[in-house]
Amino acid sequence: MTVETLRASGWLDLLVARSVRRFRSARAFALALVAFSGLLACLVTNDVALFVVIPFTIIAGRMSDFDVEDVVILEIVSANVIGCLTPLGNPQNLFVFHRSGWSAMHFVAVMAPLVAWCAVGLVASLFLLKRSRELVNSETALPPRNDRMALAGAICFALVVLEVLRVTSAWPAAIAALVAGVFFLKRRMLAIDFSIIAIFFVAFLAIGWLQSFGWTLSTNLYVTGIALSQVISNVPATMLLSSFTSDWRELLYAVNAGGCGTIIASLANLLGWRIYVRESGREPRFFRRLTAINFVFLGWVATGGWLLLKTQ
């Protein structure tokens, strides 16, 4: 509801228009968007980052001849593999951060080598998938701007960030978003996709049920973490495997590599796909291409994590 309020205010469109005008190269603009996706994920989790970055990218595509499909896919990958640098980058990191007792600086130091390896893969992908050409802007009429709605959205977003940083509880953000939705979005609230709430609910119930069996881990943690993430998503896989190990580095490398691959390997994959389809209305090949590129990155990140675990 927070992001929808910001988008409906018209100010996001203005920000996109000004950003597009600053770039002359499509590849440079793509690199900036992919980097922004990963860096924002480091601060506000990969899910929240995609709610901001993907609509931004699709609007940019309408204001220029910018081809957004592959860029959105790399934004999703970036949110997963660059965002994992910090404890706030994704839910599984935050879970391990609290369980491990590490300091934030130590956490970043542990994840930095893997993130550097991932960054190399992302840059290489941009050169392979996005040819260098001049970015041609289109004259597009901007929607009217509502300053009060923008202020309400900014306040809600600040409260969301404060909740992620554990400065406040979730209640102020939830109440503020609801109030902003009722007063500004009105019927537009009904178009927001709330199904992710049910997905989280079912996932955590399933993990609680699996843990009740008291199983023990008799296979390689790294391989198991990656494989399990492909089937039940990396957040539930982290919760389940945390009962069997105190090697937090290996677990982190496994489940963050495991976030690439299938559409459910990371909830950010699923969210990114749903946001793209909702915002662009284009689906025919996006799911297949997202899955294919994600599996390429699964191989890249898993190899890098394995090499780092062996050499450090």
Side-chain angles (χ1 to χ4, degrees):
M1 288 193 288
T2 292
V3 175
E4 192 67 23
T5 301
L6 285 170
R7 290 178 58 243
S9 73
W11 277 92
L12 184 60
D13 294 77
L14 178 64
L15 180 62
V16 172
R18 290 180 176 176
S19 299
V20 171
R21 294 191 192 108
R22 290 179 178 271
F23 288 88
R24 293 290 177 264
S25 164
R27 181 181 287 165
F29 187 42
L31 178 61
L33 288 170
V34 172
F36 178 61
S37 179
L39 293 174
L40 186 61
C42 289
L43 301 175
V44 296
T45 77
N46 50 9
D47 303 327
V48 176
L50 293 177
F51 272 115
V52 175
V53 177
I54 294 178
F56 186 102
T57 306
I58 291 170
I59 294 171
R62 294 171 185 156
M63 295 182 177
S64 67
D65 64 343
F66 187 64
D67 184 14
V68 303
E69 186 177 84
D70 285 344
V71 177
V72 168
I73 292 172
L74 292 180
E75 286 171 352
I76 295 170
V77 174
S78 180
N80 279 323
V81 301
I82 303 299
C84 72
L85 176 66
T86 69
L88 296 175
N90 50 51
Q92 69 267 19
N93 277 16
L94 198 57
F95 178 80
V96 172
F97 176 66
H98 286 296
R99 287 291 298 271
S100 66
W102 290 350
S103 68
M105 289 299 295
H106 179 70
F107 190 100
V108 171
V110 168
M111 296 304 298
L114 181 64
V115 170
W117 174 272
C118 296
V120 171
L122 281 167
V123 172
S125 298
L126 278 167
F127 277 86
L128 289 171
L129 297 174
K130 201 74 181 172
R131 73 182 192 275
S132 182
R133 61 177 179 79
E134 185 179 356
L135 188 64
V136 180
N137 296 334
S138 304
E139 292 298 327
T140 305
L142 297 177
R145 291 182 292 279
N146 185 321
D147 293 343
R148 290 191 301 169
M149 189 184 299
L151 178 61
I155 291 171
C156 292
F157 191 79
L159 289 171
V160 170
V161 173
L162 289 174
E163 190 279 328
V164 172
L165 295 174
R166 296 297 186 264
V167 176
T168 66
S169 72
W171 284 108
I175 293 170
L178 180 61
V179 171
V182 169
F183 279 94
F184 293 110
L185 295 178
K186 299 176 182 176
R187 290 186 178 181
R188 192 167 177 167
M189 286 178 62
L190 301 177
I192 299 174
D193 185 3
F194 293 106
S195 63
I196 190 65
I197 297 172
I199 294 171
F200 269 111
F201 184 74
V202 172
F204 287 117
L205 277 181
I207 291 305
W209 176 70
L210 289 172
Q211 287 178 326
S212 68
F213 286 94
W215 292 339
T216 58
L217 185 66
S218 57
T219 57
N220 181 276
L221 174 65
Y222 187 67
V223 174
T224 303
I226 292 173
L228 198 59
S229 296
Q230 303 307 303
V231 181
I232 65 171
S233 182
N234 55 4
V235 177
T238 305
M239 295 178 63
L240 184 61
L241 294 175
S242 66
S243 304
F244 306 126
T245 185
S246 58
D247 189 342
W248 303 116
R249 179 167 168 264
E250 185 174 2
L251 178 60
L252 281 168
Y253 278 26
V255 295
N256 281 298
C260 301
T262 66
I263 193 71
I264 63 169
S266 166
L267 288 176
N269 295 341
L270 186 60
L271 271 175
W273 169 57
R274 293 175 73 94
I275 295 168
Y276 177 81
V277 172
R278 185 190 69 192
E279 298 294 331
S280 69
R282 294 184 292 175
E283 153 56 17
R285 71 168 193 163
F286 183 78
F287 178 86
R288 297 191 300 273
R289 195 160 179 82
L290 170 63
T291 303
I293 293 175
N294 242 330
F295 267 103
V296 171
F297 269 94
L298 174 60
W300 175 261
V301 183
T303 301
W306 180 79
L307 290 172
L308 288 167
L309 289 171
K310 292 294 182 183
T311 57
Q312 292 184 3

